[in-house]
Amino acid sequence: MNKIKENKDRKIKVLVSKVGLDGHDRGAKVICSLLKEAGMEVIYLGMYQMPKDVIDAAIDEDVDVIGPSFLSGEHLVYTPIIVEEMKKAGLDDVLLVVGGVIPVEDISTLKKMGVDEVFTAGSLTAPIIQYIKENIRR
Amino acid sequence: MQEMTTEEWSRKVKEGDRRAVAKLISAIERKEKIAREVLKLLYKPVGKTVTVGVTGSAGSGKSCLVSCLITAFRKRGKTVGVVAVDPSSPFTGGAFLADRLRMQAHGRDKGVYMRSMASRGYLGGIARGTVDVMRVIEAMGSDVVIVETVGTGQDEVEVARLVQTCIVVLTPNMGDDIQAMKAGIMEIAQVVVLNKSDMPGKEKALLDVEIALKMRSAPEDGWYVPIVLTVATEEKGIDKLLEQIEKHQSHLRKCVGLRKFAFRKAEKEGSVLVKDEIERIIFDHLKGTGLRRKYLDRIVDGEIDPYTAVEEVLSLFFKKSSKEG
């Protein structure tokens, strides 16, 4: 947060992506729009992405936050792979924030895996922005 | 990455280390001093790298075309780097960068490096550091560097000075013959693409552009601008487009000489760098003095006009004030 205040040319970069066989992208688009309005630079990768695609893009684009979005119920399948790939790539300074339709009982499972935060459908916008601004690690 | 020396950093970039490249581009975007030091080490005069620009209005299909071009260049065994610029919000500073979305097919190809850039208030259709980012991608060994501009209207022509071959993308519904005759973006094309050429109005648009191009005086460099019909979503017409790019490249290299192009580019870059540096020195100097605010208040309150204010500020730095300019 302080770092960002220091340098007006320092923008928070967020990568938003649908992951897996999931064509429901309205929520992800809303999030993109919201973060853009909050002054962040948002890269939207689109639908049907695999964990490796997301990680490769995150490296090339040098993002601060990775935000996979799920509606299809595949979050417990793909999220561990994303976490694993992030570790392999050494992206320990990148925040992982999962969003979408996630059953409440899965949130702690995801967090134990290494997800930093989970925002489910119905989340208010302000806390999402605040969370990112306060928690980015670089 | 900050702990690395500039030598290490430049070496890693040259070896094609994607993280080193990505971090360097971020440092360029943030105007960090170290970025310039690394860039000094990476500089080399124009050579074998082919540079292509793709510009045109929003929604004309630039990103899809770039994706097709990547495929085409890759088929010929070339490695490709892409810089895709999208606009920043003038109100919040935020940006929605979605060029990569159209280039999904190349996400896993190690022979392709893609980078999105927000324009961050820079006018002219590109971002401030685009020329530096091109240099970084060139240094990592890409055979081809493609620059995709923001959606452009009529006057965002800066990309023309950065790339050897500039492609202007039009669509059948772009307007009448009068639009095609206007100065600005139509003049910077080395190749005109009429994309979405499966849509109604194709014949008319083609005719308008053909006539507009023919009404121009003979090109100084001897290159007559071809028109290529494409349907990027179906990868139609891409072979023809690539053929024209290659034709222009060999024309540029054989008939015009790359040096002439490089000279113009250096000229432009030099003036931009000087302007940026002077601006930085002046504003750094004013920082914390309250002088900037004082002048702005006086201008707004009518105590001084902006012209005199600028002259007064500059006279702090230069003995001869800009009056004599």
Side-chain angles (χ1 to χ4, degrees):
Chain A
M1 185 73 170
N2 290 335
K3 243 189 184 170
I4 289 189
K5 273 190 180 162
E6 269 169 35
N7 185 348
K8 68 175 168 51
D9 298 312
R10 174 77 167 85
K11 295 266 181 218
I12 299 178
K13 281 183 90 172
V14 186
L15 180 77
V16 176
S17 182
K18 295 296 295 179
V19 180
L21 190 62
D22 182 354
H24 303 85
D25 64 347
R26 176 60 58 201
K29 284 176 179 162
V30 169
I31 292 294
C32 287
S33 211
L34 169 80
L35 299 180
K36 179 196 78 188
E37 307 268 291
M40 300 179 197
E41 291 184 353
V42 189
I43 295 148
Y44 181 47
L45 218 49
M47 295 185 280
Y48 315 123
Q49 299 300 292
M50 295 308 278
K52 189 84 174 73
D53 303 324
V54 177
I55 303 305
D56 284 349
I59 293 171
D60 286 356
E61 300 282 355
D62 191 27
V63 296
D64 304 294
V65 186
I66 297 177
S69 157
F70 296 99
L71 183 134
S72 57
E74 294 172 317
H75 50 280
L76 291 181
V77 179
Y78 287 119
T79 312
I81 308 176
I82 293 177
V83 171
E84 190 54 37
E85 291 284 346
M86 280 176 77
K87 270 188 200 146
K88 257 196 256 169
L91 298 180
D92 46 346
D93 57 350
V94 176
L95 207 61
L96 178 61
V97 183
V98 172
V101 176
I102 313 274
V104 189
E105 57 268 31
D106 288 349
I107 293 178
S108 63
T109 317
L110 286 170
K111 284 190 175 174
K112 262 180 227 153
M113 272 174 204
V115 171
D116 291 294
E117 192 50 274
V118 179
F119 289 102
T120 60
S123 293
L124 292 176
T125 58
I128 299 176
I129 295 163
Q130 194 188 354
Y131 176 80
I132 291 177
K133 284 187 174 169
E134 285 176 0
N135 289 281
I136 59 162
R137 287 200 268 271
R138 36 191 218 154
Chain B
M1 289 281 159
Q2 251 65 28
E3 316 87 62
M4 268 193 307
T5 65
T6 51
E7 284 79 14
E8 276 177 284
W9 206 341
S10 77
R11 183 176 48 78
K12 283 195 171 182
V13 168
K14 282 179 192 163
E15 285 167 7
D17 180 327
R18 295 171 92 97
R19 283 202 88 182
V21 169
K23 296 267 178 194
L24 180 56
I25 294 174
S26 296
I28 289 168
E29 288 188 299
R30 288 174 207 147
K31 299 184 203 150
E32 285 172 13
K33 277 204 185 100
I34 188 161
R36 184 175 297 186
E37 295 307 313
V38 181
L39 281 167
K40 282 181 189 172
L41 297 175
L42 293 179
Y43 176 77
K44 59 176 188 219
V46 276
K48 274 190 283 178
T49 315
V50 169
T51 55
V52 179
V54 179
T55 190
S57 58
S60 58
K62 294 182 295 299
S63 302
C64 280
L65 266 175
V66 170
S67 184
C68 295
L69 283 177
I70 297 173
T71 311
F73 278 119
R74 292 295 290 142
K75 268 189 201 153
R76 303 195 177 202
K78 310 269 189 209
T79 53
V80 185
V82 179
V83 196
V85 190
D86 260 335
S88 294
S89 161
F91 305 106
T92 67
F96 182 48
L97 310 172
D99 292 323
R100 214 184 165 96
L101 168 70
R102 320 279 180 195
M103 304 175 198
Q104 278 179 359
H106 311 286
R108 274 183 229 182
D109 183 347
K110 290 295 167 208
V112 180
Y113 180 84
M114 283 184 277
R115 178 68 175 225
S116 317
M117 279 186 102
S119 64
R120 299 196 180 178
Y122 191 80
L123 303 174
I126 53 171
R128 185 173 293 273
T130 300
V131 60
D132 301 326
V133 174
M134 287 176 70
R135 195 160 281 150
V136 175
I137 293 176
E138 198 176 329
M140 78 185 281
S142 288
D143 301 319
V144 182
V145 179
I146 303 177
V147 179
E148 183 191 331
T149 71
V150 303
T152 51
Q154 296 178 312
D155 201 22
E156 297 91 334
V157 295
E158 213 176 312
V159 65
R161 297 197 180 86
L162 301 188
V163 299
Q164 297 154 357
T165 305
C166 190
I167 299 167
V168 173
V169 186
L170 305 172
T171 52
N173 55 359
M174 57 159 195
D176 61 5
D177 54 337
I178 300 297
Q179 294 302 333
M181 285 164 65
K182 285 188 182 172
I185 198 152
M186 280 297 290
E187 291 175 298
I188 63 169
Q190 272 87 41
V191 182
V192 168
V193 165
L194 190 60
N195 191 33
K196 308 191 187 184
S197 63
D198 54 346
M199 280 170 71
K202 175 193 85 178
E203 289 81 5
K204 173 77 168 59
L206 182 60
L207 195 64
D208 289 343
V209 179
E210 261 173 359
I211 293 173
L213 289 175
K214 278 182 185 150
M215 282 194 285
R216 284 203 256 176
S217 45
E220 202 187 318
D221 64 357
W223 174 256
Y224 286 88
V225 178
I227 308 168
V228 181
L229 300 180
T230 60
V231 184
T233 49
E234 292 168 23
E235 297 190 34
K236 279 186 188 154
I238 306 304
D239 290 343
K240 289 223 171 72
L241 176 56
L242 196 67
E243 202 178 288
Q244 292 299 341
I245 293 171
E246 282 170 343
K247 261 193 195 160
H248 178 257
Q249 280 287 326
S250 72
H251 174 81
L252 182 67
R253 280 155 204 264
K254 282 191 197 120
C255 309
V256 184
L258 268 185
R259 200 175 189 286
K260 206 167 170 184
F261 162 80
F263 193 88
R264 278 215 314 269
K265 186 181 165 198
E267 201 177 13
K268 171 72 185 170
E269 194 179 5
S271 78
V272 169
L273 285 174
V274 167
K275 214 167 70 187
D276 279 2
E277 192 62 11
I278 290 177
E279 191 182 305
R280 192 188 60 77
I281 290 170
I282 290 174
F283 286 126
D284 275 3
H285 188 79
L286 295 182
K287 213 181 258 172
T289 61
L291 213 58
R292 192 176 178 180
R293 179 66 202 248
K294 213 174 80 192
Y295 269 114
L296 290 175
D297 279 336
R298 287 177 64 204
I299 291 169
V300 174
D301 295 337
E303 288 166 23
I304 192 171
D305 64 83
Y307 314 104
T308 311
V310 167
E311 280 172 7
E312 281 185 24
V313 171
L314 287 185
S315 69
L316 299 173
F317 297 88
F318 304 103
K319 283 214 177 99
K320 289 181 183 174
S321 82
S322 54
K323 268 179 206 163
E324 288 162 42

